[in-house]
């Protein structure tokens, strides 16, 4: 195992004097980084609820305005490896703080857009800024905090990501009750200005980096693969009519990603260094990262339909119940990070996966007679589980990565996280649609307690059992890898002891 070294970080003052980072400066630096993680994910969902209003104002079909959200996610996924590599080459602080500037300028321009085309262009520019923030934030925290404090810092980062992604749609819905869509962009500015100030003053400068040749071919192959994948997912609701185009896009995505991986293995400085996936615990951590976000977001997308269509409760009450997840995760995230620093990330991650499995199995028994307290309990368990999985798992992965590659692996983790969010959201909607005659919209607009209720419940239960099975697989695989690694370590220690004894005997 590669042992992480303690990195001495210094800050530059106006008098060019180097001073060690104080606890207050470290805290403000952590706030600056977490605000970027929060707002880049917050903005992703903030615009969702405004799509119908934007479509009406610009007289565009809703399917076209949907690209304001889909395009945002697509550009982030494409450019994350690019900016992760650039942050290792040119410095994480430079990429991160430039991301704040790009995001802020794009937000202002989006707010004053006069056409759907310009709005989409500035939304894409906003996504580029978000990718710069997400690609470098984990590398910054891994370098700034020594191993004994790193888990807690990454816990706050993971909490910021999840809460930002969940609060976006809720806040957007409240704002759109009283104002028009440009306000959704204007309300982000005060936070961005404050975050830029903190980032400029409290994130330390990086050491000079070796600027190696950039892998343009790899970047193009990766971009084509991700674009084909996202396009296939965007059409999946019309699977019956677009089956052949979807299969072609999926095939193109798989083929180009395969070529990309082969290309990366042959190149000295690839966009993504896949050799780290040869490390068993890193590979297991990446799988856990993807599966946990698929599980969480598929649940959070499906439950509102259960609340409205099966339990027949109001949107406001449903929103309050959903808040059980981010609140419980906000409490658990930093605590689990501290515990992982003390007891090791493996134990905390394993316990978190076990609690997640318990939550998903419990949700599989939801019915029209399920009390709200039962749903709230399992949402709280899911939030606790995600808080226990996210930051210890990040800490586990980063502990195996040399600091010079922290930007690259940090962006790869962010890419897997966004991939999990995208797949989870699509899976949640698709699984329900499969079991409902017609569509979710048709069912929701009719009488929810008609003859299709058993089919609807079968759709929910199939979804929960499917993601529970995936979670169980990741837990079993993780425990197996830990056992293999422990046995391997003991064998090496035994071999070393035998070698030492032999040397002493010969001496």
């Amino acid at each position: 195992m590669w042992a992480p070294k303690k990195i001495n970080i210094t800050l530059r003052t106006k008098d060019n004097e180097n001073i060690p980072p104080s606890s207050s400066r470290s805290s403000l630096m952590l706030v600056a980084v977490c605000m970027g993680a929060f707002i880049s994910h917050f903005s992703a969902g903030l615009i969702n609820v405004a799509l119908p209003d934007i479509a009406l104002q610009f007289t565009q079909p809703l399917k076209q305005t949907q690209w304001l959200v889909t395009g945002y996610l697509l550009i982030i996924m494409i450019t994350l490896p690019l900016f992760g590599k650039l942050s290792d080459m040119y410095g994480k602080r430079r990429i991160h703080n430039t991301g704040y500037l790009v995001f802020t300028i794009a937000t202002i321009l989006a707010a004053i857009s006069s056409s759907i085309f310009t709005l989409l262009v500035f939304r894409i520019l906003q996504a580029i800024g978000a990718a710069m923030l997400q690609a470098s934030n984990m590398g910054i925290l891994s370098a700034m905090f020594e191993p004994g404090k790193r888990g807690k810092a990454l816990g706050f980062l993971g909490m910021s990501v999840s809460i930002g992604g969940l609060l976006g749609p809720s806040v957007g819905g409240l704002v759109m009750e009283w104002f028009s869509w440009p306000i959704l962009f204007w309300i982000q500015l005060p936070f961005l200005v404050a975050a830029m100030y903190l980032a400029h003053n409290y994130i330390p400068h990086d050491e000079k980096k070796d600027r190696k040749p950039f892998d343009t071919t790899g970047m193009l192959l990766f971009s084509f693969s991700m674009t084909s994948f996202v396009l296939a997912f965007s059409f999946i609701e019309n699977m019956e009519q677009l089956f052949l185009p979807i299969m072609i896009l999926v095939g193109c995505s798989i083929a180009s990603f395969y070529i990309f991986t082969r290309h990366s293995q042959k190149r000295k400085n690839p966009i993504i260094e896949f050799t780290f996936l040869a490390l068993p615990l890193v590979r297991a951590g990446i799988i856990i990262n993807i599966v946990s976000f698929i599980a969480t977001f598929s649940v959070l997308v499906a439950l509102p339909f259960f609340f409205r269509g099966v339990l027949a409760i109001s949107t406001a009450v449903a929103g309050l119940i959903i808040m059980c997840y981010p609140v419980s995760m906000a409490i658990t995230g930093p605590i689990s990070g501290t515990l992982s620093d003390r007891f090791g990330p493996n134990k905390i991650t394993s316990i978190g996966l076990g609690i997640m499995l318990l939550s998903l199995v419990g949700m599989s028994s939801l019915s029209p007679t399920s009390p709200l307290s039962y749903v709230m309990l399992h949402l709280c368990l899911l939030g606790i589980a995600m808080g226990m999985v996210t930051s210890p798992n990040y800490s586990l992965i980063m502990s195996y990565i040399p600091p010079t590659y922290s930007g690259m692996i940090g962006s790869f983790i962010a890419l897997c996280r966004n991939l999990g969010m995208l797949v989870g959201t699509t899976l949640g909607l698709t699984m329900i649609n499969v079991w409902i005659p017609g569509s979710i919209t048709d069912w929701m607009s009719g009488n929810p307690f008609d003859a299709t209720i058993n089919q609807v419940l079968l759709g929910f239960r199939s979804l929960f059992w499917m993601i529970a099975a995936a979670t169980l697989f990741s837990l079993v695989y993780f425990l197996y890898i830990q056992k293999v690694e422990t046995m391997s370590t003991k064998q090496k220690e035994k071999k070393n002891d035998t070698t030492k004894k032999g040397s002493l005997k010969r001496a």
Side-chain angles (χ1 to χ4, degrees), residues 256-456:
S256 55
F257 190 78
Y258 174 76
I259 297 171
F260 167 67
T261 56
R262 295 299 299 270
H263 168 83
S264 299
Q265 290 167 0
K266 295 177 182 178
R267 190 175 174 87
K268 289 185 177 180
N269 301 296
I271 289 290
I272 298 176
E273 186 62 73
F274 286 101
T275 54
F276 290 121
L277 294 180
L279 298 171
L281 282 173
V282 172
R283 185 168 62 249
I286 294 297
I287 292 172
I288 290 169
N289 186 35
I290 296 173
V291 170
S292 61
F293 276 94
I294 289 176
T296 301
F297 274 77
S298 59
V299 168
L300 296 175
V301 163
L303 278 183
F305 291 98
F306 179 80
F307 292 146
R308 297 288 292 127
V310 178
L311 299 185
I313 61 177
S314 67
T315 305
V317 174
L320 290 174
I321 295 173
I322 292 291
M323 289 298 291
C324 290
Y325 170 83
V327 170
S328 57
M329 183 181 177
I331 296 171
T332 312
I335 296 174
S336 66
T338 304
L339 292 175
S340 73
D341 290 333
R342 183 175 179 180
F343 299 106
N346 293 21
K347 292 181 180 178
I348 308 301
T349 302
S350 300
I351 295 171
L353 285 172
I355 295 174
M356 182 175 291
L357 180 61
L358 179 65
S359 170
L360 296 171
V361 171
M363 288 187 193
S364 67
S365 63
L366 290 176
S367 70
T369 59
S370 297
L372 293 182
S373 58
Y374 182 86
V375 184
M376 294 169 69
L377 170 64
H378 286 84
L379 270 173
C380 286
L381 286 176
L382 186 63
I384 291 169
M386 200 62 176
M388 295 183 71
V389 167
T390 305
S391 59
N393 187 44
Y394 290 166
S395 185
L396 170 68
I397 296 171
M398 297 302 288
S399 68
Y400 281 81
I401 307 301
T404 50
Y405 293 97
S406 60
M408 182 274 297
I409 196 67
S411 66
F412 185 68
I413 292 171
L415 170 65
C416 294
R417 182 176 65 229
N418 281 278
L419 183 64
M421 291 177 181
L422 176 66
V423 174
T425 301
T426 308
L427 182 65
L429 294 173
T430 303
M431 283 300 294
I432 301 171
N433 251 331
V434 165
W435 297 99
I436 296 176
S439 68
I440 294 177
T441 306
D442 296 335
W443 174 70
M444 291 288 290
S445 61
N447 180 10
F449 296 101
D450 60 12
T452 66
I453 191 66
N454 290 329
Q455 293 172 291
V456 172

Side-chain angles (χ1 to χ4, degrees), residues 34-98:
C34 287
M35 285 181 73
F38 171 84
I39 203 162
S40 62
H41 288 86
F42 177 76
S43 185
L46 188 67
I47 309 301
N48 269 348
V49 292
L51 292 180
D53 296 81
I54 295 173
L56 288 173
Q57 178 169 333
F58 295 120
T59 61
Q60 297 290 331
L62 188 58
K63 287 186 177 180
Q64 291 187 16
T65 56
Q66 179 68 34
W67 279 98
L68 293 171
V69 175
T70 307
Y72 181 87
L73 294 173
L74 174 60
I75 295 301
I76 288 177
M77 291 177 66
I78 289 174
T79 55
L80 271 171
L82 167 65
F83 291 121
K85 191 68 177 178
L86 292 179
S87 70
D88 286 333
M89 294 171 62
Y90 295 94
K92 298 171 185 63
R93 181 186 189 272
R94 178 178 295 178
I95 297 299
H96 184 272
N97 291 4
T98 303

Side-chain angles (χ1 to χ4, degrees), residues 35 39 42 46 100-101 103-109 111-112 126 182-196:
M35 285 181 73
I39 203 162
F42 177 76
L46 188 67
Y100 264 134
L101 181 62
F103 195 95
T104 303
I105 293 172
T107 300
I108 296 172
L109 294 173
I112 60 176
Q126 201 180 33
I183 299 296
L184 297 176
F185 292 100
W186 291 120
I187 61 174
Q188 300 177 56
L189 282 183
F191 301 99
L192 288 168
V193 172
M196 281 199 299

